Amino acid sequence: LPSCAQFRVESAAEAYSDSVDASGPSTTGRRLRGGGIVAKELQEQARQMHHLQESRRQWEEAFSAKVAAQMRDMCSDLRHRSHGHCRDFLEHDIHVPDHLALQWPPKDDRDASPVVVVNRSVLVSARWSGRIPSVGCVALVPQGSQVERWMDSFVDNFRHQHYEGGKSLVLVYNHTDHRAAKLAKERADGVFIKAVAAQGVEFPSTAAARFGMWHARDADIIARWDFEAWHHPERLNMQVRALALAGRPASLLARWTVLNSTGSKNTMEAGAHWDGSLAGEGGWMQKSWHPFLQAGEEGVVGSHAPRDVVSMDEPGLLIYDSLNP
């Protein structure tokens, strides 16, 4: 009946209200409790993700350090240093301790040891901090017909030195040797390579070598550069680094190699080429360098040199060819 419709509507509304009152609060609570669990789960996942990222970072650092250490060890071998991968690695290797930072002029912290010895692995890891010293190499061009045969190889050998700083070569010839004069002048440019004539009858001689050193006087370091030897492309790098790292004014190889007529190599530590690898600060060389001394005269230098010298036991850096002039 139409008169009863209002009661049906009111009854339905009351039933709905009772239903909400009966179930509403507990459902809302469950929903709130469920939201808290989700938040905790998200926090735990974030914590675990951070832990994984940190573990990965530590692993990458340890792995990189291990690879870098292996590369330094491999590239310390002079046979590998000239390889492209080694040169790129050493150029960008930034993990260098402070005590391996090279400075010029060297710090005046020399110890009292008679001779300081350094190894190539230390030198390879060292890096220049600031200016790199320039080097002037002095070579006496021998007299003889074979000079023409060997001159190009000798000059190319010098050009292929992987020295990081500036370098120059002074070719000293006897003023009466027209063949040597022609060959030296043809390869000289007046800056990178110079050709100068030494006066006097005796050649090679101490006076001729020191005359060549005078023409290289603008260089920070003077190095003896024997014509009859093959100089490893890393020789200048290693010896200059050695004297800078040790704080000594001169560097000398403890041993060198001689290639004989049969092609075999002999390692030497005394004899005619005892100072063939000498490289030193300009001022020290002017005072102390007296090459081509006669037998029994080595004491003129040897009496005071040990306390000034840093030694390297790398015979492969300098190889004398007995077949050269």
Side-chain angles (χ1 to χ4, degrees):
L1 293 175
S3 59
C4 295
Q6 59 177 333
F7 298 107
R8 289 198 300 270
V9 171
E10 291 176 359
S11 178
E14 290 175 356
Y16 177 79
S17 176
D18 293 342
S19 175
V20 171
D21 292 341
S23 63
S26 61
T27 302
T28 303
R30 286 196 299 270
R31 289 176 180 173
L32 291 174
R33 288 195 297 273
I37 293 173
V38 170
K40 289 181 179 179
E41 290 179 350
L42 291 176
Q43 290 176 355
E44 178 64 19
Q45 290 178 356
R47 187 189 67 78
Q48 293 179 358
M49 182 62 68
H50 176 74
H51 175 73
L52 290 173
Q53 291 174 342
E54 182 66 17
S55 298
R56 179 184 176 87
R57 184 189 64 80
Q58 294 176 0
W59 178 86
E60 288 178 344
E61 289 182 354
F63 180 77
S64 298
K66 183 176 181 179
V67 171
Q70 292 176 342
M71 285 292 292
R72 291 190 198 99
D73 183 63
M74 181 186 73
C75 295
S76 68
D77 191 326
L78 294 176
R79 296 172 297 177
H80 301 151
R81 270 186 62 82
S82 299
H83 191 279
H85 291 302
C86 274
R87 296 192 65 81
D88 290 342
F89 168 77
L90 294 172
E91 181 179 352
H92 298 96
D93 184 18
I94 61 174
H95 302 283
V96 180
D98 292 340
H99 70 279
L100 293 181
L102 303 175
Q103 296 183 349
W104 190 263
K107 293 183 178 179
D108 191 14
D109 55 357
R110 304 170 188 173
D111 57 36
S113 302
V115 177
V116 174
V117 180
V118 295
N119 60 65
R120 67 186 179 205
S121 61
V122 172
L123 296 177
V124 167
S125 300
R127 289 291 178 276
W128 287 103
S129 176
R131 186 174 73 89
I132 302 176
S134 59
V135 181
C137 301
V138 179
L140 271 59
V141 181
Q143 297 172 296
S145 59
Q146 289 187 328
V147 172
E148 187 170 0
R149 175 185 173 188
W150 294 104
M151 180 63 85
D152 284 334
S153 297
F154 178 73
V155 173
D156 286 343
N157 184 206
F158 174 76
R159 292 182 182 276
H160 284 90
Q161 285 293 305
H162 295 152
Y163 184 57
E164 301 153 298
K167 64 180 186 290
S168 61
L169 175 65
V170 179
L171 297 172
V172 184
Y173 58 88
N174 187 270
H175 71 287
T176 63
D177 191 343
H178 301 294
R179 178 191 289 108
K182 178 177 180 296
L183 294 171
K185 290 178 180 179
E186 287 176 349
R187 288 153 182 82
D189 56 17
V191 180
F192 184 65
I193 298 177
K194 300 178 181 179
V196 299
Q199 305 297 314
V201 177
E202 185 180 354
F203 191 92
S205 66
T206 302
R210 292 182 65 83
F211 178 67
M213 178 174 60
W214 184 83
H215 281 275
R217 62 189 180 277
D218 292 334
D220 297 304
I221 295 171
I222 304 296
R224 176 169 168 173
W225 209 253
D226 286 350
F227 191 92
E228 65 272 27
W230 178 81
H231 308 261
H232 192 284
E234 296 292 339
R235 184 197 154 187
L236 280 183
N237 250 346
M238 294 293 100
Q239 287 199 254
V240 174
R241 283 169 171 246
L243 64 86
L245 187 64
R248 297 290 177 102
S251 171
L252 193 66
L253 296 182
R255 298 184 298 165
W256 59 93
T257 302
V258 176
L259 182 67
N260 59 34
S261 58
T262 63
S264 62
K265 297 179 180 179
N266 299 319
T267 300
M268 310 293 291
E269 58 184 17
H273 304 298
W274 72 276
D275 65 339
S277 61
L278 186 63
E281 298 175 7
W284 186 92
M285 292 290 279
Q286 290 175 16
K287 179 180 66 175
S288 306
W289 189 38
H290 303 278
F292 306 106
L293 297 174
Q294 300 299 319
E297 295 180 336
E298 294 178 4
V300 174
V301 177
S303 61
H304 65 267
R307 66 175 178 272
D308 296 335
V309 172
V310 54
S311 177
M312 290 183 59
D313 191 13
E314 292 293 340
L317 288 178
L318 188 61
I319 302 177
Y320 284 92
D321 190 345
S322 61
L323 300 179
N324 268 7

